[in-house]
Amino acid sequence: PGAIVLLGVSAREVRIDLTTVPVGAEFRGFGKVPPGLHWVSAPTPDGLTSLWLDLPGGGVVVKVFDQRLKRFVDAAPRTEERY
């Protein structure tokens, strides 16, 4: 399994595939995620933002929520290195 790291999430909940997860101050993403294609979404003031992620086996995908764009974007290389 791998991990999907989501930084900067200000929503109260995030969804991965068909599972909705409450988000607290310590939320950083999802661990023990099986490899393959996953749908991740979060509510925003303007609606829903979502993206498809292809997680390699044992890999880690790091995304950051961009408040200006109101969507998830790729993390900076230095941020990715931490995970």
Side-chain angles (χ1 to χ4, degrees), residues 3-39:
I4 298 174
V5 178
L6 302 173
L7 304 174
V9 176
S10 60
R12 292 186 180 175
E13 63 184 30
V14 174
R15 187 172 194 159
I16 180 168
D17 302 326
L18 298 175
T19 303
T20 301
V21 178
V23 172
E26 299 298 317
F27 179 80
R28 294 290 180 260
F30 303 99
K32 298 182 182 178
V33 180
L37 198 57
H38 297 279
W39 181 66

Side-chain angles (χ1 to χ4, degrees), residues 10-81:
S10 60
R12 292 186 180 175
E13 63 184 30
V14 174
R15 187 172 194 159
I16 180 168
D17 302 326
L18 298 175
T19 303
T20 301
V21 178
V23 172
E26 299 298 317
F27 179 80
R28 294 290 180 260
F30 303 99
K32 298 182 182 178
V33 180
L37 198 57
H38 297 279
W39 181 66
V40 175
S41 66
T44 70
D46 296 330
L48 188 70
T49 186
S50 63
L51 70 155
W52 286 98
L53 298 172
D54 191 9
L55 185 64
V60 177
V61 174
V62 183
K63 297 289 183 176
V64 177
F65 187 77
D66 185 307
Q67 296 291 339
R68 185 178 57 82
L69 298 174
K70 296 185 175 111
R71 65 182 178 95
F72 289 101
V73 297
D74 292 334
R78 282 190 173 172
T79 301
E80 284 185 355
E81 290 172 4

